[in-house]
Amino acid sequence: RQVVHKSVVTNGTITVPLGGSATMEIIDNAKSFADVSTDSWAADAEGFASAHELFSGTSVDRFSPDLPMTRGMLAKVLHNLESNPSQPFARTFSDVAPDAWYSEAVAWAAERGIVSGYGNGLFGPGDNITHEQLAVMLWRYDGEPAATNKELHFNDVDEVSGYALDALCWATENGIINGKGCGILDPRGQATRAQVAQMLMNYLRK
């Protein structure tokens, strides 16, 4: 058995991308966690991420929705989404050890231009990822599509880094990022595990 990571359910219809013929079994593969209640805004996203095995909890019964996601973990999540293709290790970043649990994922993401690090030979795998960094990685993963609207209509748009503007325009236009309410985008704020799960679900359903 193999989980189809990119399968989605929209308006009662299941879309399953396949590269050939297959026998399908449709099951509810979502996990339950004691720290995510069924009426939480994060419940659907947590269920999506765990069911598609993009990332799981921090323990058997804890999802830790409010903990930040690291840059190394996000590379691993996207690698999981692609069913973990083999990638030879390359010393692209001096702070990514060849035996690190995220090393293949980072090497894969770097090879495909999804990540480029900080520009000084460092990737910062243990750094907490920001909303704009997350948007950029998803945008690059999607092939850097152009957004129709080239403007962001948020009160804190002046906080957006120049390199992230196109990615955030695309992400907001496609409903992948919706901001924090009250006109706040918080581009440099840390993305929590629950927010990453929500953005991934939004991305795959767009």
Side-chain angles (χ1 to χ4, degrees), residues 176-195:
I176 298 167
I177 293 179
N178 298 303
K180 303 177 69 173
C182 301
I184 301 300
L185 181 61
D186 192 23
R188 301 188 188 186
Q190 296 176 359
T192 66
R193 289 167 51 84
Q195 290 171 342

Side-chain angles (χ1 to χ4, degrees), residues 38-196:
T38 55
D39 60 352
S40 167
W41 69 267
D44 286 347
E46 169 270 310
F48 184 91
S50 62
H52 287 74
E53 298 182 1
L54 300 179
F55 63 99
S56 56
T58 54
S59 68
V60 174
D61 63 345
R62 310 289 293 183
F63 186 73
S64 303
D66 297 325
L67 284 183
M69 173 77 74
T70 66
R71 289 164 55 83
M73 184 62 196
L74 199 279
K76 179 61 177 172
V77 167
L78 294 179
H79 195 225
N80 290 344
L81 186 57
E82 287 297 310
S83 299
N84 306 114
S86 178
Q87 179 66 46
F89 178 77
R91 196 71 181 185
T92 306
F93 304 110
S94 60
D95 57 351
V96 176
D99 58 349
W101 58 267
Y102 48 76
S103 63
E104 185 177 40
V106 173
W108 166 83
E111 175 67 22
R112 283 151 186 79
I114 298 169
V115 300
S116 56
Y118 292 133
N120 56 357
L122 300 176
F123 176 67
D127 294 351
N128 298 330
I129 197 164
T130 65
H131 298 126
E132 65 180 11
Q133 289 172 355
L134 175 53
V136 168
M137 287 178 69
L138 282 177
W139 177 65
R140 290 174 176 170
Y141 172 79
D142 202 61
E144 301 186 8
T148 302
N149 190 344
K150 299 296 184 179
E151 294 183 356
L152 290 170
H153 301 286
F154 293 92
N155 298 333
D156 56 351
V157 68
D158 58 325
E159 297 179 15
V160 174
S161 301
Y163 76 91
L165 181 59
D166 287 344
L168 284 169
C169 287
W170 166 79
T172 56
E173 184 175 284
N174 285 277
I176 298 167
I177 293 179
N178 298 303
K180 303 177 69 173
C182 301
I184 301 300
L185 181 61
D186 192 23
R188 301 188 188 186
Q190 296 176 359
T192 66
R193 289 167 51 84
Q195 290 171 342
V196 171

